[in-house]
Every structure is written in structure tokens, then in C-alpha cells.
Amino acid sequence: MKLIDKGKAKDIYETDDHEILFYYTKRVTAFDGLKKGEFSNKGRVCCRLSEFWFKRFQEEGIPTAFLECMDDHRMIQQKVEILPVEVILRNYLTGSLWKRYNKGTAPLPPGTEEREGAMIPGGYVEFTTKFEEIDRPITRAEVLDNGWMTREEMGIIEDTTRRINSLMRYYLEERGILLVDFKIEYGKRDGKILLADEVGTPDVCRFWDLEEFKKGNIVRLDKDVFRRGTGDLDDTYLTIYNKITGEKLGN
Ligand code: ADP
Ligand code: MG
């Protein structure tokens, strides 16, 4: 099999013209690749959790590129043309939006209180660039002007992202996890928009402990433990895997 690319977290192999194979590695990066690390359980947690969510979304009729998982690290997807934007949905204020607000470069979403962890009424969908050196927030007008998607495609993407948010959010809240925000990628194949890449993992979502949040504390169960250097990524990822699936990944 031909290795066609090494991403920040996954190695990508081409199996034929229609399919690609991901190998979910132990690599982790943060701050646009500036901080790097390796954790032995990271690949399989992200591979198996992505599989878990892709299957749920497919059952709900959401079109995805996911085909199958071969083992704890290998996943086959339909090969798509990835759209040049990443889509972010935020339910609570934190991360880069909170940073940008404090620097004076972004307004607060309507109705949002000025504090980290404030709820964003109705959720907030943002787009950032995918194929630039640094992920840069862009307006809907810029996305359309660049011809990166049509207005109709943007509508489909926004609706699908909000549906995915509802599905994940309620499932997680029943298991004591707050879905704070997440990033997803879409691609196109034969003119159709498909959910691609990786979904519902602690690499691409922020998860906070719900009970602690109700008491006013933020306890992070995602890649922020690595970004902030506040905990062991392997432990955190195994814990969240267990909370979400009800199963334990053995060592
Ligand atoms: P990155 O460094 O861009 O985050 P990853 O390590 O996540 O890369 O590797 C996955 C790469 O494969 C990403 O560039 C992603 O956009 C791309 N990709 C994801 N799903 C598909 C797909 N179904 N077909 C083709 N490319 C994909
Ligand atoms: Mg990626």
C-alpha cells in the first residue's frame, strides 16, 4: 500500500482510486503544530471512538465517508475531496474564541456572558481555513467569495453540523459529559457532501465533566490536558473512551 501523506495525527495510505486507509498514530500536536508529543493509547482511542460515532451518525441517516475499522488503528474511508474549511461548533465559550475575544479580535456571540465557560445560546458555528499554515477564522462571505462551497452546500454543512451537535450532546450529557465544542471536516464525492476525517474524539472535541461544571469547576477530559500540560493524555483519553462507550480498552 502506498503512503500518500502523513498528517499531524494520522498516516494516510491509498488503497485504490476510491478508498483511503488511515493509520491513527500516537502523535499529538497542539498550537498549529508547535507543541508535539507521543502517547501510546492515543491512536486507538481516537480510531475506535471515531468508528463509534460514525456508525451512530450513519444510523441517523447522516452521509459519511466512513467504511470500516480494520483494527484498533486502521480505518477505511471513501476517498473524498476535503473542503478547504474546518467547521467548528461551540456550545460554551473557551479555547480560541475566548482568546480572540480577550485580544479584542472577535466579538462575543449574541447573548453570551463575558466569562470562560459561559453558555452560547443556540450554539455558534464558525469556519476556519484548512490548508493554510495557521488555522484562520474566516467569514461565511469569504468562504463563498473564494468559491470554496456554494450557498446551498454551506446550508447543508451547517444543518448537518447542528444535527451532529444535538446527537452527541444529549448522548454525552446522560453520561456525565458536557460537549463544549468540536471541529469537523467535510468532503465531496460525486457532488455529494460527506462527513469525513475524525469525529467525536478528545482530539477534535472539548469534553468537560458535567457534575464538576455544575459546581462551577472546569475539569477537562480532552486534548486540553496536553495543551495546558495539566495531566497525562493517555489516562485522560482512556477515561473518556470508557465514559462514552461504557467499555474499557485494555492495555
Ligand atoms: P491534519 O494534519 O491535516 O490534521 P490528520 O493527521 O488528521 O491531518 O490526517 C488526516 C488527513 O486526511 C487530513 O488532511 C484530512 O483532511 C484528510 N482526510 C480526512 N478524511 C478524508 C477522506 N475521507 N478522504 C481524503 N482525505 C481525507
Ligand atoms: Mg486532523
Side-chain angles (χ1 to χ4, degrees):
M1 245 174 318
K2 201 170 106 206
L3 178 71
I4 50 172
D5 200 10
K6 270 179 179 288
K8 293 191 287 284
K10 306 190 268 301
D11 292 340
I12 301 120
Y13 296 84
E14 193 166 56
T15 59
D16 60 31
D17 288 349
H18 308 288
E19 296 177 1
I20 56 161
L21 184 147
F22 285 142
Y23 184 91
Y24 283 76
T25 72
K26 57 187 171 196
R27 297 193 294 272
V28 57
T29 70
F31 308 117
D32 289 306
L34 284 178
K35 184 170 182 179
K36 294 191 174 83
E38 293 191 344
F39 294 89
S40 54
N41 287 301
K42 198 232 152 191
R44 52 196 195 120
V45 167
C46 291
C47 184
R48 288 298 188 189
L49 264 185
S50 264
E51 173 193 34
F52 173 87
W53 289 113
F54 271 126
K55 285 182 171 168
R56 293 190 87 85
F57 299 155
Q58 284 182 337
E59 280 164 19
E60 297 290 336
I62 293 173
T64 88
F66 173 80
L67 292 171
E68 64 171 317
C69 243
M70 315 285 287
D71 57 34
D72 280 356
H73 292 91
R74 275 169 259 262
M75 177 183 289
I76 309 232
Q77 290 195 7
Q78 292 185 61
K79 192 162 142 191
V80 300
E81 197 185 314
I82 291 288
L83 294 175
V85 293
E86 299 190 342
V87 186
I88 297 168
L89 190 145
R90 302 177 183 277
N91 294 310
Y92 293 85
L93 181 60
T94 187
S96 62
L97 179 58
W98 178 233
K99 261 192 212 157
R100 279 185 277 136
Y101 171 73
N102 283 303
K103 275 196 277 178
T105 56
L108 286 181
T112 307
E113 281 174 39
E114 188 186 354
R115 61 176 166 85
E116 186 173 31
M119 193 185 58
I120 304 176
Y124 189 59
V125 176
E126 283 190 304
F127 296 98
T128 67
T129 55
K130 161 85 195 159
F131 295 120
E132 294 181 3
E133 192 70 18
I134 298 229
D135 294 348
R136 176 175 62 87
I138 37 173
T139 61
R140 285 165 174 69
E142 198 180 343
V143 173
L144 295 172
D145 287 349
N146 288 340
W148 285 345
M149 58 178 87
T150 64
R151 200 173 285 276
E152 191 197 350
E153 287 166 346
M154 188 177 275
I156 294 172
I157 283 173
E158 212 166 315
D159 289 350
T160 308
T161 305
R162 288 186 179 281
R163 266 194 76 203
I164 288 170
N165 183 47
S166 309
L167 290 169
M168 287 207 289
R169 200 170 171 184
Y170 297 113
Y171 178 91
L172 291 168
E173 281 185 10
E174 284 177 0
R175 285 155 185 85
I177 305 157
L178 191 76
L179 179 63
V180 177
D181 56 30
F182 64 90
K183 180 268 309 188
I184 45 182
E185 294 181 27
Y186 293 90
K188 259 171 97 167
R189 186 178 177 96
D190 305 326
K192 201 172 169 189
I193 304 277
L194 302 178
L195 178 66
D197 198 46
E198 170 171 344
V199 281
T201 71
D203 260 33
V204 295
C205 301
R206 282 196 176 85
F207 301 122
W208 291 351
D209 184 287
L210 184 59
E211 287 314 307
E212 289 296 333
F213 183 72
K214 286 180 183 162
K215 289 188 247 164
N217 307 320
I218 294 178
V219 173
R220 301 170 198 272
L221 299 169
D222 54 55
K223 196 164 91 175
D224 273 345
V225 299
F226 172 74
R227 288 193 186 92
R228 295 165 163 253
T230 52
D232 181 71
L233 182 137
D234 265 337
D235 291 347
T236 305
Y237 277 33
L238 288 171
T239 301
I240 196 74
Y241 178 86
N242 176 235
K243 277 181 189 280
I244 293 176
T245 64
E247 284 166 22
K248 279 207 159 78
L249 271 179
N251 277 309

